[in-house]
Amino acid sequence: MFGKSIFFFYKALLFGIATITVIPRQVYKRFLIYGFIFGAIGDVIMATILGPILQLIKYLNMGPFNIFGIVSFWTPIAWMFAFMLFFYFLPVRRVFLYPYIIGFSIFGYMVGLVLQQLDLYQYIGNYIYFAPIVNVIWFSISAYVYIKNGNIFLK
């Protein structure tokens, strides 16, 4: 019944378990809010712009978790958890911040490549080469807003 679409659930489940395991209970709510805004809502916006509007990506085999043919129900949840981890481990020293953002962006890109190999996601055309740059922009904007709103001072 679910076929390959169950992998989207597994992805969200694994990221969720990671956040519950790593992020302390006292600060979990703070990271949940930022993760929801930049991860879940950000993913829906990015998937809508890059999918139906620009035709650069496409989610495949979403099964019953299909939301308007744009994204799987579980994908924004997985991004929410991923961004929670991103914000939790965000370094406060500039020398580490830039490689961290680039590294996390490449990690997100690699997840996309794995999903493509599982026939769950497709980079269309040359976008496969530009996706890491889009991820860097997405993570950079998110980190900038988090730093400015979170009263974090970079060293």
Side-chain angles (χ1 to χ4, degrees), residues 129-145:
Y129 304 111
F130 301 108
I133 296 167
V134 172
N135 282 358
V136 167
I137 293 167
W138 183 11
F139 280 95
S140 296
I141 291 169
S142 301
Y144 175 79
V145 172

PDB file of all heavy atoms in Angstrom, residues 129-145:
ATOM      1  N   TYR A 129      23.398  20.524 -10.333  1.00  0.00           N
ATOM      2  CA  TYR A 129      24.672  21.181 -10.059  1.00  0.00           C
ATOM      3  C   TYR A 129      24.512  22.473  -9.261  1.00  0.00           C
ATOM      4  O   TYR A 129      25.464  22.936  -8.632  1.00  0.00           O
ATOM      5  CB  TYR A 129      25.400  21.484 -11.371  1.00  0.00           C
ATOM      6  CG  TYR A 129      25.593  20.243 -12.218  1.00  0.00           C
ATOM      7  CD1 TYR A 129      24.912  20.089 -13.412  1.00  0.00           C
ATOM      8  CD2 TYR A 129      26.424  19.212 -11.789  1.00  0.00           C
ATOM      9  CE1 TYR A 129      25.071  18.940 -14.187  1.00  0.00           C
ATOM     10  CE2 TYR A 129      26.584  18.061 -12.546  1.00  0.00           C
ATOM     11  CZ  TYR A 129      25.909  17.931 -13.745  1.00  0.00           C
ATOM     12  OH  TYR A 129      26.058  16.798 -14.484  1.00  0.00           O
ATOM     13  N   PHE A 130      23.338  23.073  -9.293  1.00  0.00           N
ATOM     14  CA  PHE A 130      23.096  24.343  -8.612  1.00  0.00           C
ATOM     15  C   PHE A 130      22.384  24.175  -7.266  1.00  0.00           C
ATOM     16  O   PHE A 130      22.326  25.114  -6.495  1.00  0.00           O
ATOM     17  CB  PHE A 130      22.283  25.282  -9.507  1.00  0.00           C
ATOM     18  CG  PHE A 130      22.967  25.586 -10.802  1.00  0.00           C
ATOM     19  CD1 PHE A 130      22.509  25.046 -11.985  1.00  0.00           C
ATOM     20  CD2 PHE A 130      24.095  26.389 -10.825  1.00  0.00           C
ATOM     21  CE1 PHE A 130      23.144  25.309 -13.182  1.00  0.00           C
ATOM     22  CE2 PHE A 130      24.745  26.659 -12.011  1.00  0.00           C
ATOM     23  CZ  PHE A 130      24.266  26.118 -13.197  1.00  0.00           C
ATOM     24  N   ALA A 131      21.868  22.999  -6.996  1.00  0.00           N
ATOM     25  CA  ALA A 131      21.137  22.750  -5.748  1.00  0.00           C
ATOM     26  C   ALA A 131      21.965  23.055  -4.498  1.00  0.00           C
ATOM     27  O   ALA A 131      21.438  23.635  -3.549  1.00  0.00           O
ATOM     28  CB  ALA A 131      20.611  21.317  -5.722  1.00  0.00           C
ATOM     29  N   PRO A 132      23.261  22.703  -4.460  1.00  0.00           N
ATOM     30  CA  PRO A 132      24.035  23.048  -3.258  1.00  0.00           C
ATOM     31  C   PRO A 132      24.094  24.560  -3.012  1.00  0.00           C
ATOM     32  O   PRO A 132      24.078  24.996  -1.859  1.00  0.00           O
ATOM     33  CB  PRO A 132      25.433  22.483  -3.545  1.00  0.00           C
ATOM     34  CG  PRO A 132      25.217  21.414  -4.546  1.00  0.00           C
ATOM     35  CD  PRO A 132      24.055  21.864  -5.375  1.00  0.00           C
ATOM     36  N   ILE A 133      24.127  25.346  -4.061  1.00  0.00           N
ATOM     37  CA  ILE A 133      24.169  26.805  -3.908  1.00  0.00           C
ATOM     38  C   ILE A 133      22.855  27.303  -3.323  1.00  0.00           C
ATOM     39  O   ILE A 133      22.835  28.158  -2.436  1.00  0.00           O
ATOM     40  CB  ILE A 133      24.481  27.478  -5.261  1.00  0.00           C
ATOM     41  CG1 ILE A 133      25.872  27.066  -5.728  1.00  0.00           C
ATOM     42  CG2 ILE A 133      24.356  28.992  -5.163  1.00  0.00           C
ATOM     43  CD1 ILE A 133      26.176  27.411  -7.166  1.00  0.00           C
ATOM     44  N   VAL A 134      21.743  26.752  -3.800  1.00  0.00           N
ATOM     45  CA  VAL A 134      20.433  27.127  -3.260  1.00  0.00           C
ATOM     46  C   VAL A 134      20.349  26.748  -1.786  1.00  0.00           C
ATOM     47  O   VAL A 134      19.847  27.518  -0.959  1.00  0.00           O
ATOM     48  CB  VAL A 134      19.294  26.471  -4.079  1.00  0.00           C
ATOM     49  CG1 VAL A 134      17.948  26.692  -3.423  1.00  0.00           C
ATOM     50  CG2 VAL A 134      19.294  27.009  -5.508  1.00  0.00           C
ATOM     51  N   ASN A 135      20.883  25.578  -1.436  1.00  0.00           N
ATOM     52  CA  ASN A 135      20.897  25.160  -0.030  1.00  0.00           C
ATOM     53  C   ASN A 135      21.748  26.093   0.819  1.00  0.00           C
ATOM     54  O   ASN A 135      21.370  26.429   1.947  1.00  0.00           O
ATOM     55  CB  ASN A 135      21.410  23.727   0.102  1.00  0.00           C
ATOM     56  CG  ASN A 135      20.366  22.695  -0.253  1.00  0.00           C
ATOM     57  OD1 ASN A 135      19.236  23.027  -0.566  1.00  0.00           O
ATOM     58  ND2 ASN A 135      20.757  21.437  -0.239  1.00  0.00           N
ATOM     59  N   VAL A 136      22.891  26.515   0.306  1.00  0.00           N
ATOM     60  CA  VAL A 136      23.751  27.446   1.051  1.00  0.00           C
ATOM     61  C   VAL A 136      23.000  28.744   1.312  1.00  0.00           C
ATOM     62  O   VAL A 136      23.043  29.295   2.417  1.00  0.00           O
ATOM     63  CB  VAL A 136      25.083  27.707   0.302  1.00  0.00           C
ATOM     64  CG1 VAL A 136      25.827  28.899   0.897  1.00  0.00           C
ATOM     65  CG2 VAL A 136      25.963  26.471   0.334  1.00  0.00           C
ATOM     66  N   ILE A 137      22.282  29.244   0.309  1.00  0.00           N
ATOM     67  CA  ILE A 137      21.507  30.475   0.481  1.00  0.00           C
ATOM     68  C   ILE A 137      20.419  30.269   1.532  1.00  0.00           C
ATOM     69  O   ILE A 137      20.237  31.101   2.426  1.00  0.00           O
ATOM     70  CB  ILE A 137      20.916  30.940  -0.871  1.00  0.00           C
ATOM     71  CG1 ILE A 137      22.042  31.366  -1.810  1.00  0.00           C
ATOM     72  CG2 ILE A 137      19.905  32.070  -0.673  1.00  0.00           C
ATOM     73  CD1 ILE A 137      21.620  31.547  -3.250  1.00  0.00           C
ATOM     74  N   TRP A 138      19.700  29.152   1.445  1.00  0.00           N
ATOM     75  CA  TRP A 138      18.623  28.846   2.389  1.00  0.00           C
ATOM     76  C   TRP A 138      19.161  28.764   3.824  1.00  0.00           C
ATOM     77  O   TRP A 138      18.618  29.373   4.742  1.00  0.00           O
ATOM     78  CB  TRP A 138      17.955  27.543   1.969  1.00  0.00           C
ATOM     79  CG  TRP A 138      16.776  27.076   2.761  1.00  0.00           C
ATOM     80  CD1 TRP A 138      16.067  27.762   3.703  1.00  0.00           C
ATOM     81  CD2 TRP A 138      16.160  25.795   2.668  1.00  0.00           C
ATOM     82  NE1 TRP A 138      15.051  26.988   4.197  1.00  0.00           N
ATOM     83  CE2 TRP A 138      15.084  25.781   3.575  1.00  0.00           C
ATOM     84  CE3 TRP A 138      16.398  24.666   1.912  1.00  0.00           C
ATOM     85  CZ2 TRP A 138      14.256  24.664   3.740  1.00  0.00           C
ATOM     86  CZ3 TRP A 138      15.571  23.568   2.064  1.00  0.00           C
ATOM     87  CH2 TRP A 138      14.511  23.579   2.977  1.00  0.00           C
ATOM     88  N   PHE A 139      20.230  28.017   4.023  1.00  0.00           N
ATOM     89  CA  PHE A 139      20.803  27.866   5.358  1.00  0.00           C
ATOM     90  C   PHE A 139      21.442  29.164   5.849  1.00  0.00           C
ATOM     91  O   PHE A 139      21.397  29.463   7.044  1.00  0.00           O
ATOM     92  CB  PHE A 139      21.812  26.716   5.391  1.00  0.00           C
ATOM     93  CG  PHE A 139      21.173  25.363   5.498  1.00  0.00           C
ATOM     94  CD1 PHE A 139      20.914  24.608   4.368  1.00  0.00           C
ATOM     95  CD2 PHE A 139      20.819  24.838   6.723  1.00  0.00           C
ATOM     96  CE1 PHE A 139      20.318  23.364   4.456  1.00  0.00           C
ATOM     97  CE2 PHE A 139      20.229  23.591   6.835  1.00  0.00           C
ATOM     98  CZ  PHE A 139      19.973  22.849   5.697  1.00  0.00           C
ATOM     99  N   SER A 140      22.033  29.933   4.955  1.00  0.00           N
ATOM    100  CA  SER A 140      22.651  31.210   5.348  1.00  0.00           C
ATOM    101  C   SER A 140      21.605  32.205   5.833  1.00  0.00           C
ATOM    102  O   SER A 140      21.800  32.863   6.865  1.00  0.00           O
ATOM    103  CB  SER A 140      23.421  31.809   4.174  1.00  0.00           C
ATOM    104  OG  SER A 140      24.493  30.990   3.812  1.00  0.00           O
ATOM    105  N   ILE A 141      20.518  32.334   5.093  1.00  0.00           N
ATOM    106  CA  ILE A 141      19.439  33.241   5.507  1.00  0.00           C
ATOM    107  C   ILE A 141      18.868  32.791   6.841  1.00  0.00           C
ATOM    108  O   ILE A 141      18.635  33.606   7.742  1.00  0.00           O
ATOM    109  CB  ILE A 141      18.350  33.331   4.424  1.00  0.00           C
ATOM    110  CG1 ILE A 141      18.898  34.052   3.191  1.00  0.00           C
ATOM    111  CG2 ILE A 141      17.093  34.022   4.954  1.00  0.00           C
ATOM    112  CD1 ILE A 141      17.995  33.975   1.972  1.00  0.00           C
ATOM    113  N   SER A 142      18.661  31.496   6.996  1.00  0.00           N
ATOM    114  CA  SER A 142      18.122  30.960   8.246  1.00  0.00           C
ATOM    115  C   SER A 142      19.056  31.246   9.419  1.00  0.00           C
ATOM    116  O   SER A 142      18.607  31.670  10.486  1.00  0.00           O
ATOM    117  CB  SER A 142      17.895  29.454   8.121  1.00  0.00           C
ATOM    118  OG  SER A 142      17.009  29.169   7.074  1.00  0.00           O
ATOM    119  N   ALA A 143      20.347  31.011   9.217  1.00  0.00           N
ATOM    120  CA  ALA A 143      21.319  31.263  10.284  1.00  0.00           C
ATOM    121  C   ALA A 143      21.378  32.745  10.618  1.00  0.00           C
ATOM    122  O   ALA A 143      21.438  33.120  11.796  1.00  0.00           O
ATOM    123  CB  ALA A 143      22.700  30.758   9.873  1.00  0.00           C
ATOM    124  N   TYR A 144      21.344  33.597   9.613  1.00  0.00           N
ATOM    125  CA  TYR A 144      21.389  35.045   9.840  1.00  0.00           C
ATOM    126  C   TYR A 144      20.202  35.491  10.696  1.00  0.00           C
ATOM    127  O   TYR A 144      20.375  36.207  11.685  1.00  0.00           O
ATOM    128  CB  TYR A 144      21.396  35.785   8.500  1.00  0.00           C
ATOM    129  CG  TYR A 144      21.320  37.277   8.649  1.00  0.00           C
ATOM    130  CD1 TYR A 144      22.459  38.009   8.979  1.00  0.00           C
ATOM    131  CD2 TYR A 144      20.125  37.958   8.495  1.00  0.00           C
ATOM    132  CE1 TYR A 144      22.401  39.386   9.137  1.00  0.00           C
ATOM    133  CE2 TYR A 144      20.050  39.328   8.652  1.00  0.00           C
ATOM    134  CZ  TYR A 144      21.188  40.034   8.969  1.00  0.00           C
ATOM    135  OH  TYR A 144      21.112  41.398   9.135  1.00  0.00           O
ATOM    136  N   VAL A 145      19.003  35.068  10.328  1.00  0.00           N
ATOM    137  CA  VAL A 145      17.802  35.455  11.084  1.00  0.00           C
ATOM    138  C   VAL A 145      17.856  34.881  12.493  1.00  0.00           C
ATOM    139  O   VAL A 145      17.537  35.566  13.467  1.00  0.00           O
ATOM    140  CB  VAL A 145      16.514  35.009  10.353  1.00  0.00           C
ATOM    141  CG1 VAL A 145      15.286  35.232  11.209  1.00  0.00           C
ATOM    142  CG2 VAL A 145      16.383  35.738   9.023  1.00  0.00           C
TER     143      VAL A 145
END
